[in-house]
Amino acid sequence: MTYENTATTAATSTTSSASAPASPLVLGAMMFGTRIDEKTSFALLDRFVERGGEWIDTADCYAFWASQDGRGGDSERVIGRWLAARPGVRQRVRIATKLGAEPLWAGSWPQVRAGLSRRAVADAFAGSLDRLGVDSVDLLWLHQEDRATPIEETVDAVADLVASGAVRRVGASNHPAWRIERARAHAAATGTRPIDALQLNATYLRARPGTLPEGVVHPFGLLSDEQRDIAEAYRLEVWAYTPLLSGAYDDPAKPVPPVYDHPGSTRRLAALDDVARDTGATRGQVVLAWLVAQGIRPILGGSKPYQLEAALDGVSLDLTDEHLARLAVAG
């Protein structure tokens, strides 16, 4: 069986209930059920769908660091209860979840994680389906690389899920480019669906070489030129987490993190200010529009309705060629 790459069509996919293209924004559900209560989570999910949102991103380990028992699963449970309370909405949304980073016991992360062995993948995915209350997911992410497990074993484990119809697409988050290459080569050799999406930290500002932004806990979690190159070569979809620097672009109370403190950022921020004035948008909205223009799908992890509204407006912002050229020159 030959699997075609679906990443290039994802950005222009449509919901079953509308003819207009779905929003490229992803709703990140990391803190649903922990720092974001269920009522607010449901309201965000409802509004996201009302405005054409399609992709919802979660993980089996979300959010173990904020949960009462030190384990993940709260986010998936909230999404599962929302799906159950909204008959028919499953046909309007696409669910992406991740596995491999859940601590084996409270306090064991990062030294001891579930990992990506064949047994770990099967057990973790069964748990995700149960919490979500679904029989399949639209995209399964390998959350963090597992050097203790050959990547070929992980590919074979996911192949079983693809063959069963429980997984439609496969992605990798926080993996180096060479392991993506090996995984895709093994998938091609064995006739299963290859990885066609990468999820990494990305934004308009660039971190100083040799540094990682706060919240990027994996050495290969920051979108690099090499990862972008392999994505372009194989037409892999790229998803960006923490694209708005947790609000630092627009909130005076949140300074831009120190890893971005260099002359290049000064030029880039000035360009953002110029384009924001031209468009009447905020800096953050320009960043989101710029990411979409680069073919990158941004993930919003906001907890408040106004943040969701602003982000949905941002990804719909049309930047002119002149605006994009100004932003490129500044970089």
Side-chain angles (χ1 to χ4, degrees):
M1 181 180 294
T2 300
Y3 288 93
E4 295 181 358
N5 190 304
T6 59
T8 55
T9 62
T12 57
S13 64
T14 60
T15 62
S16 59
S17 61
S19 58
S23 172
L25 186 73
V26 177
L27 182 59
M30 178 186 288
M31 306 312 300
F32 286 8
T34 49
R35 292 176 185 163
I36 305 177
D37 63 50
E38 186 158 316
K39 180 180 179 181
T40 303
S41 300
F42 276 35
L44 291 168
L45 287 160
D46 288 343
R47 183 57 176 160
F48 181 65
V49 173
E50 285 173 4
R51 290 205 51 186
E54 184 179 39
W55 280 103
I56 301 166
D57 185 69
T58 185
D60 66 342
C61 71
Y62 289 166
F64 69 82
W65 57 94
S67 69
Q68 293 184 348
D69 62 2
R71 302 296 302 276
D74 288 313
S75 173
E76 289 181 327
R77 291 187 191 96
V78 167
I79 294 170
R81 289 192 289 271
W82 175 75
L83 290 170
R86 305 289 190 269
V89 79
R90 180 66 182 97
Q91 286 69 50
R92 299 180 61 188
V93 297
R94 300 189 182 195
I95 305 296
T97 195
K98 312 179 193 70
L99 50 76
E102 168 75 343
L104 285 185
W105 60 84
S108 72
W109 193 91
Q111 288 79 16
V112 184
R113 297 179 282 118
L116 295 172
S117 69
R118 191 164 202 149
R119 178 176 178 179
V121 167
D123 289 348
F125 187 66
S128 288
L129 290 185
D130 181 63
R131 288 185 292 272
L132 289 165
V134 298
D135 56 12
S136 66
V137 299
D138 301 285
L139 176 53
L140 180 64
W141 297 102
L142 310 177
H143 202 164
Q144 294 183 1
E145 67 162 335
D146 176 11
R147 292 286 175 101
T149 301
I151 192 66
E152 292 81 6
E153 178 181 338
T154 303
V155 171
D156 290 342
V158 175
D160 293 341
L161 305 178
V162 171
S164 73
V167 169
R168 295 190 176 92
R169 291 176 58 195
V170 184
S173 180
N174 307 306
H175 278 63
W178 70 269
R179 285 179 74 83
I180 302 299
E181 171 70 26
R182 282 184 58 173
R184 284 180 54 83
H186 186 67
T190 55
T192 190
R193 181 172 295 283
I195 289 169
D196 70 17
L198 307 179
Q199 185 175 146
L200 299 152
N201 174 259
T203 186
Y204 177 60
L205 296 185
R206 300 290 295 267
R208 292 196 313 273
T211 66
L212 289 176
E214 184 179 357
V216 180
V217 298
H218 193 279
F220 296 101
L222 182 65
L223 179 63
S224 67
D225 292 340
E226 186 171 16
Q227 288 161 326
R228 188 66 193 271
D229 187 51
I230 195 172
E232 291 177 354
Y234 293 125
R235 303 172 72 188
L236 311 182
E237 191 174 1
V238 178
W239 292 25
Y241 63 80
T242 326
L244 298 179
L245 307 182
S246 300
Y249 282 112
D250 296 309
D251 187 347
K254 295 182 177 180
V256 173
V259 297
Y260 301 106
D261 186 10
H262 56 79
S265 291
T266 303
R267 294 191 297 271
R268 286 190 172 224
L269 289 171
L272 281 180
D273 285 336
D274 287 344
V275 175
R277 279 192 296 268
D278 278 1
T279 59
T282 65
R283 275 180 176 179
Q285 288 174 323
V286 173
V287 170
L288 294 176
W290 177 83
L291 286 168
V292 171
Q294 310 308 305
I296 297 175
R297 190 185 288 274
I299 304 171
L300 175 74
S303 61
K304 297 181 173 57
Y306 78 86
Q307 294 170 329
L308 175 61
E309 300 289 352
L312 287 164
D313 290 342
V315 296
S316 299
L317 179 66
D318 288 326
L319 298 179
T320 66
D321 290 341
E322 181 185 355
H323 291 147
L324 292 172
R326 265 191 267 172
L327 292 169
V329 169

